[in-house]
Amino acid sequence: MIALLKFSPIFLLAGLMMVSNIEAFSFLGVDLDILVIAPIATVYAAIVAVITEKYKLNEIVDAAVDNVKEMQLVFFILMLAYAMAEAFMSTGVGAAIINLALGLGITAKTVAVTAFIISAILSVATSTSWGTFAACAPIFLWLSHIVGGEVVITIGAIAGGACFGDNIGLISDTTVVSSGIQGVEVIHRIRHQGVWSVICLVLAAILFFTVSLGLPGEVGSASDAINQIPEEVWTTLAEERPAAVDLLNQVKEGVPFYMIIPLILVLGVAIKGIPTLACLGLGLISSYILGLLAGTVESTTAFLDLIYTGFEGAGSWVIVMMMWVGAFGGIMNKMNAFKPISDLVSRMVRNVRQLMFANGLLSIIGNAALADEMAQIVTIGPIIKDLTDENVEASEEDMYKLRLRNATFSDALGVFGSQLIPWHVYIAFFTGIATAIYPLHEFVEFDIIKYNFMAIVAVVSILLLTITGLDRLIPLFGIPSEPKVQLKKNIKKSSKAE
């Protein structure tokens, strides 16, 4: 009963997220935002910690705050990413990308796969899926509208591509934190999963192109498509997303092609290994300078207003939400709420591959329960590390390979797994911003999920490859199998039999 009580905050958090975020539950009349749900769950978790573990209030607060500290750098990255998204939309960077794509003959058949590839590239450059989605959604949703594409396919492509770099980027917060928790080097993690990640990327791109083959093949007219936008939509955009109005007007009127340079610079310095904050700062500065030359930036004050809008957008929702969810995860970790599950796993598995597969399942289940990938990484990550360290007998080299897979589980099943969980904060964010940017379609949770081929391929493949042992066919991705690694309980059984 005590174990169930400790776990009950998860049921509360997940239940409220499900009821509030999934359209199918709208008949219940519950409309709570994550900014309300997370504090409710956090307070309840604190009460449970006091009842079950007799913790003092200051101990609970310390556990919550320590967990949030892991996300401090992320908060700065998010603010700059949001600011860069606003700048790219308003200064002509987004319009230059759209017009260049139209000039290359982008049609409804190719808009989704193009959005997918560019989102993936930008996410690697910035290492933020949230910022990448915010920057790419207004560009490619309206480009899809212009060429007569299927907006639901395009939104799935943007979401999947935006998460690619968040999982494998050298400067990604989830990559850094998940690797640190497992005690492995980031560059080793990237090499371990690199070939697998590229294979998933290629397979997803093929799927996006395949499902789009039945769509029109003519290059659309930007002016004609924009002129068809209803007046009430322009009014909504002007109120909720003024930068989208700037973007559409710039597409219609044209901007100098050199306005694409800020994006190229961000990609280039990121590939060189420059820190994320510097990459985003360069994107802002270059879009400001070139925007002045192009006439898309009226004044320094106007540009600073864009930055303010970005900071406000991140600070008023995303950052506050992440702080509360992080605090929740810290309290749950403090009272070892997941220990009964880890004990059950160690009793049930019969070999190391089954243990690693179970670690993957724990990662995605934890992600679904906590509804936040970073909360899952810092909460479930230590659990799967301890499960491996305490139950597996192996050389240090082979243990390191298992830790690499655990780090990949935490990150990949956190970032990509979030794309398949309807009540996840990722889905709520993506759905909300897509609806605000493109109000011609009322997006719901499963619009993001059903065509998110990148997430589907990544989640399914990593679990199947792990349990079947077929990961050995992918360079650098295989993990050691018996007899090189063995469960300690199996060794004891063998010793007794002898």
Side-chain angles (χ1 to χ4, degrees), residues 109 112 150 153 206-215 451 453:
K109 294 180 185 294
E150 176 53 65
I153 298 176
I206 292 171
L207 289 170
F208 282 120
F209 181 72
T210 301
V211 298
S212 301
L213 286 176
L215 298 174
Y451 286 111
F453 296 129

Side-chain angles (χ1 to χ4, degrees), residues 12-34 36-37 40 445:
L12 177 64
L13 177 67
L16 290 176
M17 291 290 288
M18 289 180 199
V19 171
S20 295
N21 285 347
I22 300 181
E23 187 75 19
F25 291 124
S26 59
F27 70 92
L28 294 176
V30 179
D31 187 22
L32 294 177
D33 190 272
I34 180 61
V36 177
I37 293 172
I40 291 173
E445 294 78 16

Side-chain angles (χ1 to χ4, degrees), residues 97 111 114-115 118-119 136-145 154 158:
I97 295 171
V111 65
T114 302
I118 291 181
S119 298
C136 289
I139 296 171
F140 288 104
L141 287 179
W142 286 109
L143 178 57
S144 179
H145 171 84
T154 303
I158 299 168

